[in-house]
Amino acid sequence: MNYRSLAKNAGTAFLAQGIAMMLSIIQTLLVPKLLGTTQYGYWQLFIFYTGYVGFAHLGLNDGVYLVKGGQSREVIDKRSVISQFIVGICFQLAIALAIVFIAVGGGFGPDREFVIVCTGIYLTIQNAANYFSYLLQAMNETRRSSYSTIVERLTFLIPLIVLLVIRYHSYQPFVVSYIFSSVVQLCYCAWLCRDFFAAGLEPLRQAMGEAWSSIRVGFKLMMANIASSLILGVARFAIDAAWGIDTFGELSFALSMVNFFLAFVSQASMVLFPALRQVDASEVKSFFRNARDTMSVFFPLIYLLYYPMVWLLSLWLPKYANSFIYFVFLIPICVFDSKMNICCTTFFKVLREEGRLLWVNIWTCVASAVFTLLGVFAFGSIFIVIGGAVVAIIGRSVWSEATLTNELGVSSSRALTLGELLLTLIFIVSALMLPAIAAFGIYCCAYLLFLWIFRDKASHLIAGVKRVARR
């Protein structure tokens, strides 16, 4: 594997996500301070709905991504790619129009109607931009894909700052600005792929046939991604219905902070897929083993961030103090969802086992739904709803990691996994039961003991990272 090229691609991807993270921090820390709880709740509701617009492309984007992954711009069939894009745009426009008509005639109330209509508009624009972004990633032009993210985020930053400076107290201009930034991203991506437009179009019947073939391939991956988002999405839908928009907004605030980190980690997965598709099986196995063990040893350090983060947020946003307790349950997602993205989801795609990825995400979503039903109807406890979703996510990561370990034939890591789970339990129990300073001290001691037990593994991993850095 060309680690120098990989590092450049990853560096650009992290820069793009760093800009996105900076923007998200502004959104999370300043927007709720400006908007009231209810207005912020509707803004978060729009952001929540936009997370599911991927349903509309039916897996076309993912299919092109999987089928064309690893092909260069010179080799790829440009007429086929752009013809499939046109077919996809047509059926997504029909879906968007249906959503708008349902919103207008559904009697949802003016605010929810506005949010749903804007979601329909955003659907076609963002899926079109994502099609080209996925295409760039498939051709291993991940830096260009990252630049499109930078363009989109910076475009949204300008009106965001203006709205914050003039202290506009309605969520609606934020929504419109968000949609406009996607329009700019689409234009930029289309310009990067202008040679595809110049290649011309295939006959309609042939284009529809190839689009259908891509959908058949990508539908499983799309559904796997959507099922993954529904693991927490089911809980959020239930919380909105059972506890109202204010509680939904408080939980969304906590989740948005967690999503900062997860979005950053996802960039590594984006860079790895096309690179791993171009190397042999022995290098895939070696990379999986090293990535798995590195994350197992060092990612539990993330739990230490809980204490300073909550202290700083309590000073800045005291009216969201009720949401800080959710961080205790949500921060483990940073550890185990990150491992799932890098060590499992990426390798399921490389091995073309999107069917297995789909089923593990479906069963995880079902488990989350069961906990949600128990939390809402049996116990009336939001903590059971959230805690159940987190348990499901942890179980998914552990099962997927063990499955890939066996399939790739690499050495097992059961002891490391058990150590991670014990550290997670210690963090949750101490954070809930003890004062912050005592809990922080206990977790530090537990992690140091963990490092001492696996000191040989940690030393080996650090030496490996140094060797790669010197290449």
Side-chain angles (χ1 to χ4, degrees):
M1 187 182 297
N2 188 338
Y3 285 98
R4 186 176 297 277
S5 175
L6 189 66
K8 288 181 179 179
N9 290 339
T12 307
F14 288 146
L15 172 63
Q17 195 54 49
I19 293 173
M21 180 179 291
M22 179 179 64
L23 181 59
S24 297
I25 290 173
I26 294 173
Q27 288 179 231
T28 303
L29 298 183
L30 298 182
V31 173
K33 198 172 182 67
L34 175 65
L35 300 178
T37 305
T38 301
Q39 290 287 310
Y40 181 71
Y42 283 117
W43 163 241
Q44 284 298 311
L45 193 65
F46 170 73
I47 297 298
F48 177 47
Y49 286 164
T50 59
Y52 298 99
V53 298
F55 271 120
H57 64 67
L58 303 179
L60 177 64
N61 296 7
D62 302 276
V64 171
Y65 176 67
L66 286 173
V67 172
K68 306 300 183 184
Q71 296 183 16
S72 67
R73 186 178 287 257
E74 292 74 23
V75 172
I76 201 167
D77 187 344
K78 294 182 176 64
R79 290 187 69 198
S80 173
V81 168
I82 200 62
S83 298
Q84 292 182 62
F85 170 75
I86 298 299
V87 171
I89 284 294
C90 290
F91 70 71
Q92 288 175 71
L93 278 172
I95 294 172
L97 286 172
I99 290 173
V100 171
F101 286 137
I102 291 171
V104 172
F108 296 103
D111 285 309
R112 286 185 184 269
E113 178 183 317
F114 177 82
V115 167
I116 297 171
V117 168
C118 287
T119 302
I121 295 170
Y122 179 82
L123 178 153
T124 306
I125 298 167
Q126 187 57 37
N127 282 344
N130 281 342
Y131 183 92
F132 289 117
S133 181
Y134 275 42
L135 176 62
L136 292 168
Q137 294 171 32
M139 296 186 297
N140 204 17
E141 297 181 14
T142 52
R143 273 181 282 182
R144 288 187 164 188
S145 176
S146 299
Y147 293 146
S148 74
T149 301
I150 293 173
V151 168
E152 188 258 340
R153 294 288 81 190
L154 290 179
T155 303
F156 180 57
L157 179 62
I158 296 171
L160 176 63
I161 292 175
V162 171
L163 290 169
L164 291 172
V165 169
I166 66 175
R167 302 187 65 81
Y168 201 90
H169 294 283
S170 171
Y171 71 94
Q172 293 181 349
F174 293 90
V175 172
V176 173
S177 300
Y178 197 85
I179 295 172
F180 176 72
S181 67
S182 289
V183 173
V184 175
Q185 182 187 23
L186 172 58
C187 294
Y188 179 74
C189 287
W191 181 79
L192 290 177
C193 298
R194 59 193 181 279
D195 53 328
F196 286 80
F197 290 96
L201 298 176
E202 294 176 335
L204 179 61
R205 184 183 295 273
Q206 182 179 348
M208 292 181 66
E210 291 178 351
W212 173 245
S213 297
S214 294
I215 287 171
R216 290 177 61 189
V217 171
F219 186 76
K220 291 179 181 179
L221 180 57
M222 182 202 73
M223 292 304 298
N225 292 335
I226 291 172
S228 178
S229 66
L230 282 173
I231 297 169
L232 282 172
V234 166
R236 295 179 73 185
F237 275 121
I239 288 167
D240 178 33
W243 284 280
I245 192 68
D246 289 349
T247 302
F248 176 86
E250 290 174 352
L251 175 64
S252 295
F253 170 78
L255 278 171
S256 63
M257 297 296 290
V258 172
N259 285 336
F260 290 162
F261 185 84
L262 295 179
F264 208 89
V265 170
S266 70
Q267 299 304 299
S269 179
M270 177 194 77
V271 170
L272 286 173
F273 171 71
L276 288 169
R277 283 290 295 268
Q278 297 173 344
V279 300
D280 57 32
S282 62
E283 194 157 6
V284 169
K285 292 179 182 180
S286 175
F287 192 92
F288 171 79
R289 182 181 61 251
N290 291 330
R292 178 200 65 189
D293 292 348
T294 299
M295 297 184 75
S296 294
V297 170
F298 299 111
F299 265 46
L301 279 169
I302 294 168
Y303 295 136
L304 293 175
L305 298 176
Y306 165 77
Y307 302 98
M309 180 177 65
V310 167
W311 178 71
L312 290 172
L313 289 174
S314 65
L315 296 178
W316 181 251
L317 293 170
K319 68 178 179 180
Y320 282 86
N322 291 337
S323 68
F324 297 160
I325 190 66
Y326 302 143
F327 284 115
V328 176
F329 298 93
L330 296 178
I331 285 183
I333 296 175
C334 292
V335 175
F336 290 95
D337 218 25
S338 296
K339 288 189 70 180
M340 182 69 194
N341 278 334
I342 293 179
C343 293
C344 302
T345 300
T346 300
F347 285 87
F348 279 133
K349 290 190 292 187
V350 169
L351 299 174
R352 291 302 308 273
E353 293 195 4
E354 51 270 13
R356 179 174 287 183
L357 176 63
L358 170 61
W359 280 110
V360 68
N361 283 346
I362 286 175
W363 283 112
T364 306
C365 187
V366 169
S368 176
V370 170
F371 280 113
T372 296
L373 291 173
L374 289 173
V376 173
F377 296 107
F379 298 98
S381 171
I382 193 173
F383 295 107
I384 290 179
V385 174
I386 299 169
V390 173
V391 168
I393 287 171
I394 292 174
R396 176 185 65 162
S397 174
V398 172
W399 184 88
S400 299
E401 183 183 314
T403 298
L404 284 167
T405 295
N406 292 332
E407 184 166 337
L408 291 171
V410 300
S411 56
S412 177
S413 64
R414 291 192 185 93
L416 267 177
T417 301
L418 180 60
E420 277 186 285
L421 294 174
L422 287 174
L423 284 175
T424 301
L425 182 62
I426 290 169
F427 164 73
I428 292 174
V429 172
S430 61
L432 290 175
M433 304 296 293
L434 299 174
I437 295 177
F440 180 82
I442 286 176
Y443 185 77
C444 283
C445 292
Y447 183 72
L448 289 173
L449 177 61
F450 172 80
L451 276 184
W452 183 81
I453 293 172
F454 296 103
R455 57 191 180 278
D456 293 338
K457 177 74 71 176
S459 299
H460 174 73
L461 292 171
I462 291 171
V465 171
K466 290 181 178 178
R467 284 196 301 273
V468 170
R470 286 195 294 265
R471 291 185 181 182

